């Protein structure tokens, strides 16, 4: 009998071991992320600085003011994108779904670009970026759903309308880029996604929203499991399918827009993390959602370690500066072959 019970949950042990391994990897990558840069800092100096033990002033400045907030932002933004991707993949029952599917990233970026371009005289404009991003993200979701609704919510139509809407919004962002060439550097980084220059002010902006939205996303796992059974089965269990889908789409939009407000439109990471998590712990959202959250945070942190190791000369209007590679470029290199691999696997299964 005990053996039968254990066999009912083949992923349970994998989930526990994998979660512990992922958390251990988080600690290792955090140390690497803080250590590497133009100035390499040893793990001993990192621990001494974090523990407020007597340490050289420039080491404390680098660790506390520059690298620690960037590390925390990478972890939390990655976690938000991973959870958003897991939610979308669960409710659409499509492993190729990711946060950019509904145009949420494009809508959030467009609103942010409009805000930073035209709101210079409104004081501390950065403080309002999450609200601005959420306005774009939620507005895009509402618009896409309004165009997709027929007799019911057609997931294929929803995805196609989302992709088309995202393309139109990206074109609008490009038009602003052409009209306001003086802001080309910052606008491009929002479009690609970057952790360069992220400090405590960005963490203070991201943290309160993440503390609210991530738990709500994790708590939606039961509803996601019901929706994965199919519309008729979920309805027979007493689930209001349309209302639940709406709520989870809004949650995914909030998670995506919150991350975009801090780091820009980082692509593919919300596709890769949940897919890896699903391979390891299965379809049950109660395990999938928290594991996707941790795994995607690890992936974004690791991608930023690679990004900081690569620098290039940026030339804008006759001025040049040495900058590290935007992390969005690294995730794009990771995501493109991964996406092709998923398409190939899906063809084999049919």
């Amino acid at each position: 009998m005990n053996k039968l019970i254990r066999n009912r949950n083949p992923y349970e042990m994998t989930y526990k071991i994998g979660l512990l391994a992922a958390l251990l990897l988080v600690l290792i990558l955090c140390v690497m992320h803080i250590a590497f840069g133009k100035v390499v800092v040893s793990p001993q100096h990192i621990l001494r600085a974090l523990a407020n033990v007597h340490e050289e002033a420039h080491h404390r400045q680098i660790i506390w003011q520059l690298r620690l907030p960037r590390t925390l932002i990478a972890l939390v933004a990655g976690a938000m994108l991973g959870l958003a991707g897991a939610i979308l993949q669960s409710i659409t029952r499509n492993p190729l779904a990711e946060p950019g599917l509904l145009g949420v990233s494009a809508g959030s970026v467009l609103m942010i670009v409009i805000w930073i371009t035209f709101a210079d005289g409104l004081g501390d404009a950065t403080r309002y970026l999450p609200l601005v991003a959420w306005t774009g993200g939620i507005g895009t979701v509402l618009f896409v759903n309004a165009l997709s609704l027929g007799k019911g919510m057609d997931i294929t139509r929803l995805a196609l309308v989302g992709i088309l809407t995202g393309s139109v919004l990206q074109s609008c962002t490009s038009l602003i880029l052409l009209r306001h060439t003086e802001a080309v550097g910052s606008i491009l980084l929002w479009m690609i996604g970057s952790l360069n220059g992220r400090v405590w002010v960005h963490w203070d902006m991201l943290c309160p929203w993440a503390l609210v939205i991530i738990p709500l996303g994790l708590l939606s796992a039961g509803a996601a499991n019901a929706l994965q059974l199919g519309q008729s089965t979920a309805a027979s269990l007493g689930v209001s399918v349309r209302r639940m889908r709406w709520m989870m789409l809004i949650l995914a939009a909030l998670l995506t827009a919150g991350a975009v407000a801090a780091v820009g439109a980082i692509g593919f990471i919300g596709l890769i993390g949940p897919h890896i998590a699903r391979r390891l712990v299965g379809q049950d959202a109660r395990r999938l959602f928290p594991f996707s959250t941790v795994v995607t945070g690890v992936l974004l942190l690791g991608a930023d370690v690679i990004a900081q190791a690569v620098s290039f000369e940026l030339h804008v209007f006759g001025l040049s500066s040495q900058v590290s590679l935007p992390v969005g470029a690294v995730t794009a290199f990771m995501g493109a072959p991964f996406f092709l691999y998923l398409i190939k696997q899906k063809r084999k299964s049919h």
Side-chain angles (χ1 to χ4, degrees):
M1 184 67 177
N2 290 335
K3 185 177 180 181
L4 179 61
I5 293 173
R6 283 196 299 270
N7 287 338
R8 287 177 183 172
N9 296 289
Y11 291 107
E12 190 65 36
M13 186 58 68
T14 305
Y15 170 68
K16 293 178 180 178
I17 295 173
L19 195 58
L20 287 174
L23 291 173
L24 179 61
L25 190 56
V26 165
L27 294 176
I28 294 171
L29 281 173
C30 280
V31 173
M32 291 177 61
H33 193 267
I34 295 173
F36 295 145
K38 292 181 180 178
V39 177
V40 178
V41 183
S42 70
Q44 179 184 358
H45 287 144
I46 293 171
L47 294 175
R48 287 171 63 87
L50 293 178
N52 275 327
V53 178
H54 178 69
E55 188 55 57
E56 294 182 30
H58 71 283
H59 282 162
R60 287 180 57 83
Q61 177 72 14
I62 290 172
I63 292 168
W64 275 101
Q65 301 304 321
L66 299 177
R67 297 188 183 173
L68 182 59
R70 180 170 177 156
T71 299
L72 294 174
I73 291 168
L75 274 175
V76 174
M80 294 171 78
L81 291 172
L83 183 52
I87 289 173
L88 289 173
Q89 289 176 17
S90 294
I91 63 177
T92 61
R93 291 186 292 172
N94 182 356
L96 300 180
E98 56 101 20
L101 178 71
L102 303 181
V104 177
S105 297
S108 298
V109 168
L110 176 59
M111 287 301 295
I112 288 172
V113 168
I114 292 172
W115 181 258
I116 63 176
T117 304
F118 299 105
D120 290 337
L122 298 180
D124 186 10
T126 304
R127 181 188 306 174
Y128 303 102
L129 281 183
L131 290 174
V132 172
W134 283 357
T135 301
I138 298 299
T140 303
V141 166
L142 295 175
F143 178 76
V144 168
N145 275 277
L147 291 182
S148 304
L149 287 176
K151 293 182 179 179
M153 185 179 282
D154 187 322
I155 298 302
T156 302
R157 186 167 63 228
L158 183 73
L160 291 174
V161 173
I163 292 169
L164 178 61
T165 303
S167 299
V168 172
L169 294 174
Q170 286 175 351
S171 299
C172 293
T173 304
S174 299
L175 287 175
I176 295 175
L177 179 66
L178 292 173
R179 291 292 302 272
H180 298 273
T181 53
E182 70 280 359
V184 61
S186 59
I187 292 176
L188 280 175
L189 288 180
W190 282 111
M191 294 173 69
I192 298 170
S194 175
L195 284 155
N196 294 341
R198 295 302 179 263
V199 290
W200 286 117
V201 65
H202 300 97
W203 170 251
D204 293 340
M205 176 186 69
L206 176 67
C207 181
W209 306 108
L211 287 175
V212 174
I213 305 168
I214 290 178
L216 289 176
L218 294 174
L219 289 172
S220 70
N225 279 338
L227 291 176
Q228 287 187 84
L229 297 174
Q231 185 168 330
S232 57
T233 305
S236 68
L237 295 173
V239 176
S240 177
V241 175
R242 176 171 290 189
R243 182 189 305 168
M244 200 57 65
R245 273 207 180 118
W246 266 100
M247 289 175 60
M248 297 193 70
L249 284 171
I250 293 296
L251 271 176
L254 291 173
L255 287 162
T256 303
V260 170
V263 298
I266 294 177
F268 290 109
I269 202 80
L271 167 70
I272 301 172
H275 190 80
I276 292 173
R278 184 175 288 101
R279 285 296 184 93
L280 294 174
V281 301
Q283 298 280 357
D284 189 340
R286 293 170 297 178
R287 293 189 293 266
L288 176 64
F289 283 11
F291 203 69
S292 295
T293 301
V294 177
V295 167
T296 314
V298 168
L299 285 174
L300 187 55
L301 197 61
D304 197 46
V305 171
I306 297 172
Q308 290 188 82
V310 180
S311 60
F312 64 99
E313 197 81 19
L314 180 66
H315 299 275
V316 181
F317 305 122
L319 301 176
S320 62
S321 60
Q322 195 78 15
V323 296
S324 59
L325 193 68
V327 69
V330 178
T331 61
F333 281 121
M334 293 164 53
F338 191 84
F339 190 78
L340 293 174
Y341 162 76
L342 289 182
I343 293 175
K344 186 177 179 181
Q345 290 296 108
K346 197 169 184 180
R347 283 180 178 174
K348 284 184 178 179
S349 65
H350 287 299

